[in-house]
Every structure is written in C-alpha cells, then in structure tokens.
Amino acid sequence: METFYRVHWADCLPFSAEHAWSALWGATRVTPDGSRIECIACGGTGTADGTKYGDPCAECDGDKVTDAERGYSCYTNPTDLIAYFAHRGEPSDDDSVIVFEGRQVGAGSDGETLAVPTRVIETMTWSELRKRENR
Ligand SMILES: [Zn+2]
C-alpha cells in the first residue's frame, strides 16, 4: 500500500473510494457521485462548433457529457503537495488535508497522481501540515 496526500475541499462530497473521481478545475459534474462531467471540448453543447445543428462533438459523440477520471488527484509526499498549492493558491483551513492509503490508478492532467483510497490515515488542516513540514 502506498501513502498519498490530498487537499480535500470543504464543498466536495465526503472523502471515500466511491466518490474518488477527478475533473479538471472548473468542470461541471452532472452525476451526484462526480463520475460524469459536462464535456469540456464542446462546453456541454454536444456539437463540434457549439451550435444547435452542428456536427456531433468528437469528444463526447454528441452526449454532452464525458467520464471523469477515476481517482482523487493527490501527491505521494507532503513536499510536492505544498509546492503545488504554494504555486496555485493555498487552501483555507475549512478545507482538509487528508493522508490516506490507497492504490494509484493513473496520472492527472497536471502530472499529479490519481489514487483510490482504501483507508484514511489522518486528517489535518493546511496550517497543521505547513507547521509539521516546517515550511
Ligand atoms: Zn462534447
């Protein structure tokens, strides 16, 4: 089993294997479990040119929705997690940092790891993580 580090946003579904789906930032989830998202290529219109009568979108085949990626985006060590969010904008302490055991299932669009959790090891705030890592 590997150990992973993730920032879990306060407004996300509860942290669990069942909800372990990833979407690009800003993607619109269309199923309650987050496994399907509005097609990004066509903006959810279903057509290649975004008009009502255009050719079907090649990405979603006219379905308007596509599958999200399996797994939570996360990092295999706290240093990389901190480096990523230092660049992107740091989470607030309403959000959680979750340390978990799980299985890597792929790699995300930003080069991060995608993993499905099997067990939560601990939960802390961003400030606690920063203090612990002394950065
Ligand atoms: Zn599409």
Side-chain angles (χ1 to χ4, degrees):
M1 276 296 166
E2 283 185 272
T3 304
F4 301 98
Y5 296 79
R6 164 178 169 77
V7 168
H8 197 70
W9 308 106
D11 61 359
C12 281
L13 290 166
F15 185 86
S16 72
E18 181 192 348
H19 297 146
W21 297 95
S22 290
L24 291 172
W25 292 77
T28 306
R29 298 181 168 214
V30 295
T31 55
D33 67 357
S35 63
R36 304 273 285 165
I37 56 169
E38 194 175 271
C39 178
I40 292 161
C42 64
T45 60
T47 57
D49 59 4
T51 66
K52 203 172 172 184
Y53 303 105
D55 290 331
C57 167
E59 188 68 32
C60 64
D61 205 22
D63 282 349
K64 303 177 185 169
V65 295
T66 52
D67 290 334
E69 290 183 278
R70 183 67 171 142
Y72 282 125
S73 65
C74 57
Y75 287 87
T76 52
N77 64 70
T79 308
D80 287 352
L81 184 76
I82 289 170
Y84 178 78
F85 282 100
H87 167 72
R88 173 133 232 158
E90 299 197 26
S92 85
D93 281 347
D94 291 336
D95 305 309
S96 313
V97 173
I98 296 182
V99 185
F100 64 97
E101 272 183 359
R103 181 168 55 85
Q104 182 172 350
V105 291
S109 47
D110 282 340
E112 77 278 29
T113 299
L114 293 176
V116 174
T118 50
R119 186 174 77 86
V120 172
I121 298 168
E122 64 176 323
T123 302
M124 68 189 98
T125 64
W126 184 256
S127 307
E128 285 165 349
L129 177 72
R130 292 297 296 251
K131 198 178 293 174
R132 186 189 300 192
E133 297 299 315
N134 196 21
R135 291 171 59 118

